Amino acid sequence: MTEKKSVRTAQAFSREQILESKLYRDRRDLLGALLKEGETYTLAQVDSLLEGFMKGKVK
C-alpha cells in the first residue's frame, strides 16, 4: 500500500490585499509600515512580523 503525501503550499498575498483584509484591520497602520511594496507574504509571515515587532525592545 502506498501513501500519498499531500504538499500544501501557503497562499501568498500582496501588501495591498493584506492591508485591505478584515483579519488585520486593527493593525493596518503598523502593517503599512512593516510590509514592503511589491512583496508577497503568507499569513504566517505577517503574523511573525507583527509578533517580532511587538516583542521588540524600546530604545
Side-chain angles (χ1 to χ4, degrees), residues 24 34 42-54:
Y24 295 109
L34 293 175
T42 64
L43 297 181
Q45 288 173 316
V46 174
D47 291 339
S48 178
L49 283 171
L50 285 172
E51 185 177 329
F53 180 82
M54 298 306 283

Side-chain angles (χ1 to χ4, degrees), residues 6-26:
S6 63
V7 176
R8 285 192 164 184
T9 57
Q11 187 173 3
F13 300 95
S14 69
R15 178 182 187 266
E16 292 75 23
Q17 288 175 312
I18 293 168
L19 293 177
E20 292 175 9
S21 75
K22 291 179 183 178
L23 181 63
Y24 295 109
R25 69 177 169 253
D26 295 334

